[in-house]
Amino acid sequence: RPILKTKNAHIIYGKFDQLQQAEPFFAIIDAFNGYFDKVKKGGPEYIQRIKTAIFEAIGSEVGVLTNFFPRLCQVLGSPVADPVQVDSQQAQNRLKYLFKMMIGAIASPSSPLVLFLDDLQWADSSSLDLIEAVVTDSEIKCILFAGTYRSNEVNNAFPLTRFLADIAEKHISVIKIELENIGREAANDLISDAICKATLDSKMLADIVYRKTSGNVLFLTQFLQSLYAEGLFWFSLDTESWEWDYQGIETKTIPKNVINLLTERIVRLPVLTQHALNLLSCIGCACAESTLILFMNEIGQNNTEKSNDISERENNILLALEIAVAEGLVKKEGSLYVFVHDQIQSAAYSLNPEHQRGPLHLQIGNSILKNVPIGEMENVLFIAVDQLNRGTLSVNREDLKETIAQLNLRAGKKAMALAAFQSSASFFEAGISLLDEYCWDKMYELSLQLYGSYADAQFCIGHFDEVGQVTAVIIKHAKPLWDGLNAYSTLIKALGSQNKSRDAIEITCSILGELGEHIPSVLPDQNATREDLMRSIRLFAMMTDDQFLSLNNISDDKKTMSMKFLSHLAIYCFMAKINYVPFVFNRMLDLTLNYGVSKESCTALAMSSFLISDSDGDSRASYRIGELALLLVEKLEANEYISQVHANVYCARSWNEMRMTTKPLHHAYKRGMEIGDIQNAMLSAQYYCINRFLCGIELPTVEKEFRYFLKQMKEYEQITIHQSTLPFLQAVLNFMGASTNPVELTGEIIAQNTYIEACFDKHLMHVIVKVHVLCGWLAYMFGEYELASSIISRRREIENSMNKKIELYGVANFYDCLTHLALAHKTKDTALTTKISHDIEIMMKLARSAPCSNEHRILLIEAEMAFFTKEIDSAIGKYNAAIAAARVSGFIHEEALCYEKAGDLFLDQGNSRRAAYYYGLASELYCQWGAQGKVDHLHRQIPL
């Protein structure tokens, strides 16, 4: 503590509680509310600094945290905007991300943070997930987490066991300190300090106490207090020192454990104090005074002297608790009464015979609900409902069971809003347990909501088998199909999460059929399907902004639900039936045109923009409907879709203006993280890094960015995105010279052959194609033209089997042309030039539609063609034009390539002076790019 004090550290403390496990995040919220109370007392300048740091780190979604930490509002002052409404899974992701951002904002080298949480064995899984998110994030540098738990009270069923295993698996540095009972010498030191005597003088007393308590510190201190209470240990005014009755202590029989000793001590207290401690223990280790008086007075009338004066009864109860405070059993912290040790709480609770505990909890819960002031129900909801649930075995009245079930639904929904899914599932399950076999007939709406919410909570936890069982019950009893649609939606998402995409597609198609949207089992010709999509897209593309924004919102409920289920279908078709994707989006666009816009229209427009952005598509129409998607997000305030829309729109625009898309893609990543849309945030991060690599940003910077985002992808378990990004980082390292074989993607990050085999096993054919694009590029750049040609042939075989090309914004077409031209020049085989006619057409089309990224490329291809056909003057002019265009575009790596290829021409013509000049500029630019591997290769290959 002295060291931390000198470093201006903030130490914040929270304690989990066995009887308050139903209240999610109890200890964390308590700890940070205490921190924000301290901030509030720190003065205007300090408050402003913390306020600014939080706003800068979190931005518009700070409302999530003010809902979570009520005291944060005191620091931020002005009202904050309501957070974006997102689905349950996104809410969980968002909370973790924003909590980490807040920690990073308030913990700094000049003011580190120590978070100490006690009794982790009672922690709920949601709290442990939040803690894990912080301690496993290597970007958060200035926080120390300390937690305590009793290992003898933990088994494999406890959430803490999984937490500790996860921490160990992620190789987080942990200092483990096991506290055992103190030894005889330490016991003497403790007693010597307490009674201000030399250790030699206290040794006789210490020996007796140690024998009877075995060095258990709590047992030892409580035993000394019991000796004092019984007159066997006293302070002598005559000698002005502590004295004791050695024989009396020696012969004293003590309980077998500390709980029994504490119980004996409690029963010696006044009856009203015993009663107050007993009721306090039913709540847990701590309870606010305002909550205590809601039930203590009422229940006290049946067990203690009655009084008609409410204020008198309150005073009596509070005075009784003050006696416990004076005895050192309870302490007062602000408005909270807190047991000094949870074993004291256990001892007080043990005074209730087991058969009376349920009815007592029920009475406490009812009293809280009866007496809580209007408007303050939410503050005590979790406590009240938990008390009622502990007493439900005593409930026989059907109307009371229904009331408690309704309250569990309310508490569960509140827990869901906090992204505490384990707690919410417990509340929903408790509510369901109160329903009988005829509940669907007698309490249809309540049954539907409880079962539906329970299925949603179980989906968020990842209990997919349970989701299947619960949704089966809903589907069986839901009267109209309409009432079962949410259950079907949850079931479909659960199947998708288990990689059962075809099952998800089958159920989705069945529901769409019921909604009037027939999905054919066999599609017509794929080209015809794509043409249908293009026709719909062009209808939108021809609209002005005003015409588009004047489209009404969709009002037909069936079509609204159809759009939602078509959106589900699109996701799983991407995974299992890719040929259906254009059909699905065409249907969504058709519904939008004929029935009006919905939030799902945003994703349909954005994804369609992406689908037609390739070389075979319509770049202008793609760009235009991307604009419409962005407009619609703003009009409908569909912020929950903002990351997905931006990711697809700006990925599509990468064909036209790659360098200009990097900033919007980074924004899409940030917004995705802020709203919990982790998948689309990570897709945006992937596109951002790849685009930065392909448009020639310095490789050391790109390497750093790849490593940063790959780490996040792994932390957020975005495994497929993580795996598909790895080859690009390996390619970066190959160019930088960090691979023994620059033309093979084998090194620190991946081993090429093993990686491709793993992708084949997972049917990730599009990733395998990208690996071939990168390998072909590397082989060409390092002069292995035959290898590059064979890689192109293998890639095209895979593309034909997929019936889809992966062109990587024209990069594949560009280097395919250059490879065949280089090989033709080397072998003098003119037939090779005919292989590139289609690619040249594509490159010319791209140069017209996107000159910024492609003008220099087509000029370089034309220069190489002219060189091959011996049109030297034309070739020189084309090389210089390509160099100038590449410089304007900022593609430093391809500017270097243009210089290198021009150098090849001059060397071939015997003009070594001009060749050396162009090679020298190429080397300088490769060096600026950071491609030391390519620089070394150039120096080895060129004899100048």
Side-chain angles (χ1 to χ4, degrees), residues 133-185:
V134 172
V135 300
T136 58
D137 190 334
S138 58
E139 297 299 312
I140 301 175
K141 305 289 187 185
C142 301
I143 182 171
L144 169 67
F145 172 70
T148 63
Y149 66 96
R150 295 192 184 92
S151 56
N152 62 313
E153 294 181 8
V154 176
N155 58 43
N156 290 336
F158 280 58
L160 179 63
T161 304
R162 177 189 59 80
F163 169 79
L164 294 173
D166 288 348
I167 294 295
E169 189 177 315
K170 292 175 180 176
H171 307 293
I172 303 302
S173 177
V174 176
I175 299 173
K176 191 173 183 179
I177 303 171
E178 294 189 16
L179 298 180
E180 298 178 349
N181 290 346
I182 61 175
R184 188 184 299 273
E185 187 176 338

Side-chain angles (χ1 to χ4, degrees), residues 17 20 26 30 280 283-288 336-339 345 383:
D17 191 330
Q20 290 178 326
F26 172 76
D30 186 46
L280 176 60
I283 298 296
C285 283
C287 186
L336 281 178
Y337 283 96
V338 184
F339 280 103
Q345 182 258 335
I383 294 174

